[in-house]
Every structure is written in C-alpha cells, then in structure tokens.
Amino acid sequence: MTRGRIRAKLRHSHLYTFTCLRPQADGDVPHSVDGPGFSRIVYCNQPQVHSKKPLYYTSNYISTTKYNIVTFLPKAIFEQFRRVANLYFLLTAILSLTPVAPFSAVSMIAPLAFVVGLSMAKEALEDWRRFIQDMKVNARKASVHKGNGVFGFKPWQKIRVGDVVKVEKDQFFPADLLLLSSSYEDGICYVETMNLDGETNLKVKRALEVTLTLEDDGTFNDFRGTIKCEDPNPSLYTFVGNFEYERQVYPLDPSQILLRDSKLRNTAYVYGVVVFTGHDSKVMQNSTESPSKRSRIEKKMDQIIYILFTLLVVISMISSIGFAVKTKYQMPDWWYLQPDNTTNFYNPKKPAVSGIFHLVTALILYGYLIPISLYVSIEVVKVLQATFINQDRHMYDEETGKTAQARTSNLNEELGQVDTILSDKTGTLTCNQMDFLKCSIAGIAYGTGSSEVELAAAKQMAIDLEEQGNEFSNFPMRKNSNCDSWDNASGLGATEIELQTVVTSKEEKEHRNVIKGFSFEDVRLMGGNWSKEPNADVIELFLRILAVCHTAIPERNEEIGGFNYEAESPDEGSFLVAAREFGFEFCKRTQSSVYVRERYVSSGQPIEREYKILNLLEFTSKRKRMSAIVRDEDGQIFLLCKGADSIIFDLLAKNGRMYEEATTRHLNEYGENGLRTLALAYKKLEESEYSAWNSEFMKAKTSIGADRDAMLESVSDAMERELILVGATAIEDKLQKGVPQCIDKLAQAGLKLWVLTGDKMETAINIGYSCSLLRQGMKQICISVNPDAIGQDGKEAVKENILMQITNASQMIKLEKDPHAAFALIIDGKTLEYALADDMKHQFLGLGVDCASVICCRVSPKQKALVTRLVKEGTGKTTLAIGDGANDVGMIQEADIGVGISGVEGMQAVMASDFSIAQFRFLERLLVVHGHWCYKRIAQMICYFFYKNIAFGLTLFYFEAFTGFSGQSVYDDWYMLLFNVILTSLPVISLGVFEQDVSSEVCLQFPALYQQGPRNLFFDWHRIFGWMGNGLYSSLIIFFLNIIIFYDQAFRSGGQTADMAAVGTTMFTCIICAVNCQIALTMSHFTWIQHLFVWGSITTWYIFLLLYGMTSPLISGNAYKILVEALAPAPIYWCAILLVIVTCNLPYLAHISFQRSFNPMDHHIIQEIKYYRKDVEDQGMWTRERSKARQETKIGFTARVDAKIRHLRGKLHKKYSATNVQTSLSVEGEAAT
C-alpha cells in the first residue's frame, strides 16, 4: 500500500452547520459504560488479545445457511418427518420387520429411504448454494494492519476485533469500525448507507480530533488504545462507548461508527479499528436465522393426509373386526387351516388378539391409500420447475448478466397465490439515479421531455381511447356539426392529456448524447439561448443558485476533460450537471469559495467567477431546505436557498410572490408526473444586516450544551425570511426499467402493494407518484405524530391521537359514496412504533387493507419485518417481500415468499431470499406466468395423485373383504412396488412440469387469470373431495366390473375360469390404463414428452409383464408367462380393459364437457378463442376480452388513465348537454319569430 498519501487540505467540517464540528469542551464527560449491556472491551491494534478468554469475540465469518455439518442430519431428518405421511411410513417400515407384515421389509423400507434421502439431498444442494454465496462475501479482501506500519490484504472472514483496517473509496466496510482518520485533514468521511436503511443521501461521519494524526500507514506502528462500549445489539442508529487514548478518555457516539455493508463514498480512504465482527455487527444483528417455510398447499396436503389416514384406520378397523368375527365363528369349521394348531395370529379362542394383530396387517396393506411417492414426485417437479425459472431468458438481465434464481424450490406454487407485495424502494423500485428533466423559471415552464410514467400512461391512454372509441361515438351529436363526435373526443382528449408533449420520437432520443443526470430537452435554454428569453436575468440567477448552493466537491475527469461531482445526494449531483449543461460549470472549491466557469456571457469568452461562501445552512429532514450565504465578485451578499415548496412558499416576502401562482401550477403538474420538486429562492443582504446576524450565528455555533442545535436552527430561521421566489426544479428519480408497467400489471392481476422505505416521506410520496401508486385525485391519509409532542404530551396521549387518526380515516373510507374513490395510507416510522403495538395494530392493518396503496416511510429494518408479519398473520393471506439491501433481510425472511434483487448493493438480500431476480420488472413474469403455472401444476398433480392412490388402494380393501378379511393381496408384490415408482410416476411428473392452461404471452395479456391462485380455485376442498370421489368411483368400477366379468365365466378357450393371478393382473392393467387415460384428459397442453410418458407408461407395464412372465417361476410365481399364455389370447381380457377404461373416465369427460359449455372458467374461454384462432381473425373481440381481463384496480397507470377517461367522458357529456340546450334555445327562438 502507498505510504504517506497526501491528504486533502479541504476541511469539510467548515461546510456543515449542524451535523459536524460539535465543539469539544474540556468538560466533555465520558459515557458511563459500566453495568449490564456495556461489557465490550476492545484493545486497538492488538487483535491477538481477543482470540482467547475472557475476551473471545466471534469471528468475522458470516453464514446465512439453514444447516452446517453438525446440524444437517438432525435438522434435515426433523424437517422430513415433520411431514405426516413420512412419519406414517416410518412406522409401517418398522412394523414390516415383524411377522404380521403382508409384504417384505425391503419393499417398505427401500421406498422410504429413497424418498427421504432424495428430499434431504435436495435440501443439502440448496443450502450448499447459500454456502457458496456466503463464502464469496467472506472471501472479499480488506487492507489490514499486519504490524510495523505495514498493511496487507486479508479475507473478511479472518478480520478480528481490534484490527486496524484501511478502506478505500467505493469499498464496503468489512465490519463495524471506529473511524480514526480519513483522507481529509479534519477526519470527515462520507458514507452511503443505502444497503442498511434505504437512504440515498450520504451520511457525514467524523473522527475524534485526537486520532487525526494517524494519517498514513506508518503512524499505526505504535498505535494503542482501548474502547469500552455497548454489547452487540441491532440498533443501527445508536452507539454508546468511550475511547481511552494516551491516558485520556473520550466519549463516542454514532457519528464515529462505520457500519458493516455501508460504503465509503467521496473519500479517498479511511482508517478504522474493528469493534464488532460477523454476527455481532449491527447489520447481522438485524437479520434472523433462515426460517423453514412451507407453502399453503403443502400444509393443506397434511390435512388431506390426515383425512386419508382416518379412512385408512376406519377400513383397517372394519377389516380387523371382520377378521375377528370370521376367526371366532367360521375358522373352527375350516379344517384345512388346522384351527387346533395355530398361533395368536389365527386363534379362534382369542379372536380379539387375532383381530388386533390383523389391524397391524391391514394398516400396512392399505398403506397405498397414502402415496409415499407423492413427496418425492413433488420434490422432483419443484426442482424442474425451479430449473425453468432459472433458465427463463425473459428474466435475464443483459446489463448485469444475471438470471432469475429459485434459491429454494419449496415455495414455487406459493408464487401463484400471492395477495400482498411488500416492497423496498431504493434499489428495488428505483435505481438511485436522478435526472434533471424540467424546470419552472419566472413563472415559465421549460422542458419538453417526458418522464417514463408519462410515456407509459400515454401509451395506455392511446390503447384505451382506441378501445373505447365506440363508446364515445355513442354520444349523439348534431349532424351538421363541423366534425364528427369521435373527432371532438380525440381533440378534447389530446388537449386534456397533452399527448403531444408526451410522445417523443425514437430517432431524436437515439441521436441525442446521453448525459448521466441530465435528460432536459428545450432549445429555449440550451446552447446559451436562455440569454434571449424575456426574463434572462432571473434565469441567470436560477442557474447560479444551482451552481453555488450545495456542498459537493468537483473531481477532474481526465478522460473527458470535464468534472465529476461528489455530492451528498444524487439530487445535488444532477443540479450541478444541469448547471454545467446550461453554461454554469462548478469547477473548484476551496476552504472559503466556490468557482463557477460561466460560458455564455456578453464577452463571448468563458469567465471563471469566485463566490465566497460565508455560511452554509445545510439540509436536514426537519428544515427541508438548505441555504448558502455568498459574496460575489462585486462584494454583494446573497442568501441562496433551495428546499421543499411547502416550506419555501411560507418564507416568501410579499414582493417575492410574483411567480407563485404559475410556479404552483407547474409544481402540481410535475408532482402528477411523479417528479421530485424543489423551489429556489434568494434575497439580497446588506453588509450591516449580515454582520449582525453572523455574530449571533457564531455565538450559537460555538455554544456548548444540549440546546445548541435548537439555537442554531432559530438563528438560521431568522435569516431565511423575506425571500424572493425564482423558480422550481423537477427531477426524475429514475425508476428501474419497466417498474410502472410491472406495478400496473400486478395491480391488474389483483395484487396489493405496500412500499416500506427508510427514505423521507417527501421522497417516498414522489416515488409513489412515479410508480402510479399515488395519483392526483387520490385521497392521501397521512398518519403522523409531531416528535416534539411525544415529550410534551406523554406516550399515552400520543397513542390516543394516533388511534383517533386511524379511526377517523377508517370511518371516512366507509362513508365514501364514490365507487371510483381511492385512498392511500402514508405513515412514518415514529408513528409506526405506536401503530404496531398490540392494542392498535389490527386497526392499523384494517385501514391499510381498505386503502388502495400503503407507503411506510422512515422505517427501520425491524419495523419492515414487523409490518410484514402483521400483514401475513392479520390477513391470513400469502405475502411476498422484495428488497435489495441488508435492511430488507428481516422482511424477506418474515414474508411467506422472500425475493431478493441481485443488484449492485451487496448480496445480503439475495442470500436471505427464496427467489432472486435482477430487476423489479421480472417480478411480473415470476408471479403472473411462473407463479400461475406452478400453482395449477402442483394443485392438479396432488389432486391426481390422491385420485390414483385411492382408486388403487381401495381395490385391495374390496378384495380382502371378498376373501374373508384374510389379509390376502390380489396383486403381486412387484406390481405394487412398481405402481407408484415407475408405472404412474412419470406422467404425473410431466403434468407438474409441462402443463400449461394458457401460454406465457396469454398469461401476461390476461392478468386476471392470476386470481385463480389467491382464490385457490384448483385446490379448495370442493375440488379435492371431487377428485377423491372420482377415485372411489373408479375403484368400485375397476373391482366389481372385473369380478362380475371373471367370476364364473370361461376365461380361456378350453373353458377354464380365471384364477387370482389372472384377475389380479387384469385388474391391475385396468388401473394402469384408466389412471393414465385420466391424466391425459386432465392435461391442456401436450408435448412429445407427455405423450411419451403417458402412453409409454402403459407400454412399460406390458413390457414388464412380458419380461416378468419369462423369468423363472421361482421369481415370477403365479405370473409365469401370464401375458403370453393366459391373458393376451383371451378376447374377454381386452374387452374388459376397454369397458373399464371407458366407464371410469366417462363421468369426468361429461363433467368437463358440461362445465366448458355452461359454466366455463376464464382459461376455458381463452383456450377456445385460441383454438378457433379468433385472436387472429377477430382482433376487436380479442381486444375486448383482454380489457375485461383486468382486475378492477385503483393503482397503476391504467387506473390513472381510467380516471382521465372518466374525466374526459364527463367533459363530453357536459359539452353535449350544453350543445343540446343551445339547439333548443335556437329552435324556440326561430319558432317565436
């Protein structure tokens, strides 16, 4: 590493009023860090001390896996035997070792071991993938002090408490560090915490003055110090501790702590000492252990298993009672059984004991009612479904080269049942890039470009207007009017929506150079043309405010010859880029001045002007504005201010409101289009006025005490008065590609969306407009509490106030008469603390459910998780949480389904997730296509599984009853072993993997189809019992038809009747053919694979029967040459099979024919449209059907467009009414004359 790097001389602390330069008086008292919760002692630069007791601290190794080498076996076995069926088969496998078992032990133990082993292998594979991702993080390199002033690279996992670490610009902090010094002389550094709390603004951290001399690698040779602080805890915003250095004790606070997974920005390097490592770090303290999630279908499957187990016990009891009766009353007469010489298994003297033994036999014999291969088949299907998700090219992100990943396949079908999505904002909906798009200067709007939301809404508007053209043409108009009714509608529509400003030619966009942070288009301001505008002096002042009022630092870009700006927030950076493009280039900052190169001036040559920064009153969330007091080259003093319009307008002088009305109108338009807005103002100061104020300001700045910040704020407020409005800016917080369209499609699919963000309320509201979660006309319910009121009124009073706000809002929604009215709930983190309390959370949830959209601002990671839990448990419906940062891990793990965005900001969210995607827009396809398919496939597959096993299992019961409850099986052992494993397994797997009711394109065109999942139409009890009834009916037909046919009729040409082997084999053939034909009828979409598996299974049975019959009689027993010699030559065998297959499947065929004809489901209609090619031949009908297939929604740009169309229709109606009145008056006037 480079030693003795030259440090930046700019003392950034001089730029800040509030957050930095807190005077350290001699009387600064160290924190009290004794007692419970404050036992941590860190010896700086002595990591070896912490590797042994009593200071043995956890390593920096992190793990997000479910298992490790020690816990895998017990935990995985527990997971497997949590499944009721597996527990049952474990019991039967143990009983199969006893003499009462009707089958061999191997035939019971082998399938169980195979099923459990395969499931455990799948779990191990998925956890291995998590382990690999963990290792990627643990293997990251960091520069660590090795001794003697030499730094070298170490993997993150080997960093220890007490290590001195050097972190360079744009690197993540490997652990929680105490900041010692930075590349800036005064120890300031900038930190991006977006990965922790979603905040896009950079945080300013400052080192203690006593450690500023540790300025290069060599100074750490003899560095020693001791930190005594709080124990590990999840609070991201607090830290209490003391630093002992050179026999002095200094208090520490959060401004000196650099948290793991936050990123160093705008600072060349920092030195820090490790305080918390690994799972002790605050970000990992906020995470929880990877939970074991089970889908709703799997839980319901357990209930079905209980029902089948109850049925199993009932028929086993009937069988055992029947056997006991037979043993007592009839067995003494059966001399060939030697009743006097028998065991307890067949003892006429102890029929009850014999009955109990037979109960065990029956429980094992009828075990085929409960399908052991169901779980393993589902596991295989889910893994293959996950593979299709992973390999979906439509969810591949070309920019990052990342694909979608199903990190666990247990929840595939849950994707099709989601009711509520809880989403992070920054990095999930937005890409944290601000583009200067429009502005209003001196009451004139500039900027002809359009935001993504405007473009998307305009496209939808054009489609909807076209679709509804006929409706507009139904308005009767006078025949002699200048233009027809639709022309009037179109003209009014274009004026109303201003479509002409929204449509931008693709060629123009392609030819324009892309400038990051600047998407402005308007020739009136570009290229110096602003100087020709009527208010050129105001425009010049506007641009100077952009170029001067900020805290950014310019960095020379040698490649392009210009400057890059290191700003605290992306907004500030885009202002500087805009100022540069307009001809005011911020090019240099010194300790007391900023320099601006102005290009378009009267002399024609660029001029570099100096503006002395006298004071800087920076932005805080409470002030919502920032100001710079500057002196220009002429010696004049100006206060330049930018901030939220609601604040700035209150600070305007009477003579400063000249442009207020026009600017307000423009701000409303910008807000409607989802743009972030700021108002710009100024005032000129006299020297005496400034001097008097500055003396007060310096007195407050250098004061010591708890009220210092309040004094500073009061003095600042006194200066920021009597301002003159200049204009306003409109910045587009660039959404990730396709976000508005995705949200719109999800809304049409009937999903609700809650946004949980750590950002300010204003920012969240702006993004709400951008995403069309909010729109003009939507009634916003803001639940908030004044922070000052908490201390004054007491917590109980505040709780009552919040409860009253929630109650009033709920009442307002209930009393609303307008069916199109929409409500949005907006709540901040402070208020959420009270709203999530046990005595209030259900009222809060009720209000949230009643609202069209919910936005929670300033929420901590823990609150995100608590809100997710509340929605999940309170509604009882499936929730999906999606996020990209470590601050989202809690809610991702808490939700039924967690989706991580595999973006650029770390991998914590991905590692904790169940599914990962590269962009939010891919969520649309993940849910609407894959979710819909997976839900229907798994639901149909499970229903079919129970059907075929009931059809098969009950025939064993009928035969046993037919043979005196003897425990005799009609089927050969090999038949039963192959039934679930080979002969019926592949068709059902093909159903679960390849079945499609409609294609992916149709799923996206008809989003309302998705509601079949949340409404559980394919796995409700009605459908489950229907399939069970079908299985019962098939079992009766298969058994009794065969018995009737073969009971006393000649079977072969020689007149012989059929024996048990012939009847059993025929019956088994009927089962194989009937259930495979049934699955063929169930499928809507056939591929060659399905044909191969379905008809191949029947073929495989005959091949097996042929080969099995050719083996030695010692192996095949009664099945020796049964097909060749007995069954195939007998016509009655083939006729019986055909008759049974038709009779078994006829009711199902009749049912689906009736349903499709008289009560079709949505996908049935679409299938017929596609089959008869009506989507190609009748585009109008296809378009009408598509418009019907949208769930009625109040969010998304479709809802925004619908609202505008209603407004347009209302205007047309009024215009038509006014025209009729005029016509009537003119007719009456003519009649009067």
Side-chain angles (χ1 to χ4, degrees), residues 18 135 185 233 271 305 345 391 532 543 620 773 817 852 963 1011:
F18 302 104
M135 290 310 296
E185 203 174 61
N233 63 77
Y271 291 103
I305 296 289
F345 299 141
Q391 296 181 356
K532 301 170 188 173
L543 299 178
T620 67
L773 290 172
K817 300 290 176 63
T963 56
Q1011 277 301 304

Side-chain angles (χ1 to χ4, degrees), residues 77 81 83-97 108-109 112 116 372:
I77 289 174
F81 290 105
R83 293 169 168 173
V84 184
N86 284 352
L87 206 57
Y88 163 73
F89 285 112
L90 176 64
L91 179 63
T92 56
I94 294 169
L95 291 174
S96 69
L97 298 169
M108 298 302 294
I109 295 171
L112 177 66
V116 171
I372 188 170

Side-chain angles (χ1 to χ4, degrees), residues 457-474:
K459 285 179 186 175
Q460 185 66 39
M461 178 66 121
I463 293 167
D464 281 13
L465 285 175
E466 187 179 341
E467 286 176 8
Q468 300 189 29
N470 294 332
E471 293 181 32
F472 285 116
S473 63
N474 289 335

